[in-house]
Each structure stands twice: as structure tokens, then as C-alpha cells.
């Protein structure tokens, strides 16, 4: 295996027993850093300190992540103009907050015969918020619901 000491200097290729003995002399641990390499790369270091720094690095990365929130807006096939305007206003508010929006139409009873009208309502909705949103998933029928996903545009 290829061995690197605690200062970061390459000690060369040696067998496992010699590398472990070298680590024991320095009162440190022999840790496989890259086990898939040919030959595997090991580093002589303090494993407790290594684990602590790794955990700190993961915490910092987690702090910088942003949770993806999906807000849902429900409509029906027979939605009126004023209702659509209210839903669009709410959708714009969600998009400005940086959230994704799931726009759904529920088909009840005999409304299943009007799935094309439902698709038209969703596409019209998407056109009206096109300046703030991009259609992430186009309208698709899932059981008795037709669903479309909108995401906020990146260029602001």
C-alpha cells in the first residue's frame, strides 16, 4: 500500500505490517484514505481528530444546504376566472419565496371525461406565471388528478 505520513509527505509503497509499525511508533493510526486505488492509499494520522474534522465539514455543508419545499395549489375543471386569479397570486407568492409549486386538478365523478379541458386549464395557468416560473413537469394524469410542477426561474 502507498503510505502518506502525518505531515502529508509520501513515504512510498510498503507492506501493511511495516506501515502499521510506523504508525504505532508515532502513536497514531493507519487509515485507508483511498481503498479503491491501485495500490490502496493509507495515511498516518490521529483518527479521533480526523473523525472530528470530518463531522465538522459535514455540519458546515449541511448548514449551507437549502430544503426544497413544494407548495400545492388545487383547482377543479370548472374553475372561474376570479378563482384562477387568486390561485395565480398565491402561486406568485410561493415562487418569489423560492419554493416549487405543484398545481393539481381533481376530477370528480363524471369530470373524468373532461381531462383535455383540465390540461388546458393547467397550461393556461402556466402561461400566466411564465415570467416567474418554468414548467418542471408538464401536466400528467395520475389517477383522478392531473398534476403539473412549476419551479422558480433562476435568472432574477
Amino acid at each position: 500500500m502507498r503510505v502518506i505520513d502525518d505531515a502529508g509527505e509520501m513515504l512510498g509503497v510498503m507492506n501493511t505490517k511495516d506501515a502499521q509499525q510506523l504508525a504505532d511508533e508515532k502513536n497514531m493510526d493507519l487509515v485507508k484514505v483511498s481503498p479503491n486505488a491501485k495500490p490502496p492509499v493509507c495515511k498516518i494520522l490521529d483518527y479521533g481528530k480526523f473523525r472530528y474534522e470530518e463531522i465538522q465539514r459535514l455540519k458546515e455543508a449541511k448548514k449551507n444546504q437549502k430544503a426544497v419545499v413544494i407548495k400545492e395549489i388545487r383547482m377543479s375543471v370548472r374553475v372561474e376566472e376570479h378563482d384562477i386569479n387568486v390561485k395565480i397570486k398565491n402561486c406568485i407568492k410561493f415562487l418569489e419565496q423560492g419554493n416549487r409549486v405543484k398545481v393539481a386538478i381533481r376530477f370528480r365523478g363524471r369530470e373524468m371525461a373532461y381531462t383535455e379541458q383540465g390540461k388546458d386549464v393547467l397550461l393556461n395557468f402556466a402561461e400566466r406565471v411564465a415570467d416567474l416560473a418554468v414548467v418542471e413537469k408538464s401536466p400528467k394524469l395520475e389517477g383522478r388528478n392531473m398534476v403539473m410542477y412549476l419551479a422558480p426561474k433562476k435568472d432574477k
Side-chain angles (χ1 to χ4, degrees):
M1 68 177 54
R2 188 174 306 276
V3 181
I4 302 171
D5 72 349
D6 54 325
E9 293 181 30
M10 182 77 63
L11 298 179
V13 178
M14 57 179 72
N15 65 27
T16 310
K17 196 172 185 181
D18 293 340
Q20 185 63 49
Q21 189 176 11
L22 201 61
D24 290 340
E25 287 173 9
K26 293 185 176 189
N27 289 329
M28 294 191 162
D29 303 304
L30 185 66
V31 180
K32 270 190 185 176
V33 179
S34 180
N36 296 332
K38 297 281 186 213
V41 179
C42 292
K43 202 168 188 180
I44 296 174
L45 47 82
D46 182 10
Y47 186 67
K49 185 178 177 184
F50 176 73
R51 287 266 323 270
Y52 174 76
E53 288 172 352
E54 190 69 25
I55 290 168
Q56 294 302 317
R57 211 174 9 256
L58 289 173
K59 280 184 184 177
E60 191 64 34
K62 198 173 189 181
K63 198 184 297 183
N64 294 333
Q65 286 181 345
K66 184 180 176 225
V68 176
V69 179
I70 300 177
K71 299 288 189 171
E72 184 173 359
I73 294 178
R74 291 186 187 162
M75 296 187 285
S76 70
V77 181
R78 298 169 291 162
V79 67
E80 292 293 324
E81 186 63 30
H82 178 265
D83 295 334
I84 288 180
N85 291 336
V86 171
K87 306 277 186 188
I88 286 174
K89 191 173 84 175
N90 286 332
C91 181
I92 289 171
K93 183 174 74 176
F94 296 148
L95 291 168
E96 285 174 345
Q97 292 171 357
N99 299 324
R100 291 173 54 206
V101 179
K102 173 183 175 183
V103 185
I105 291 183
R106 174 116 195 245
F107 296 101
R108 302 171 62 160
R110 294 184 181 145
E111 289 179 351
M112 282 301 289
Y114 302 107
T115 56
E116 279 302 314
Q117 285 180 342
K119 189 173 186 176
D120 293 340
V121 169
L122 288 177
L123 291 174
N124 180 27
F125 189 91
E127 281 178 25
R128 292 171 72 171
V129 294
D131 55 325
L132 288 173
V134 63
V135 177
E136 200 170 65
K137 281 189 184 173
S138 56
K140 184 180 178 192
L141 193 64
E142 297 175 354
R144 295 186 87 63
N145 296 322
M146 187 171 282
V147 179
M148 172 181 69
Y149 287 92
L150 300 173
K153 279 190 174 175
K154 298 289 184 207
D155 56 312
K156 282 190 177 182

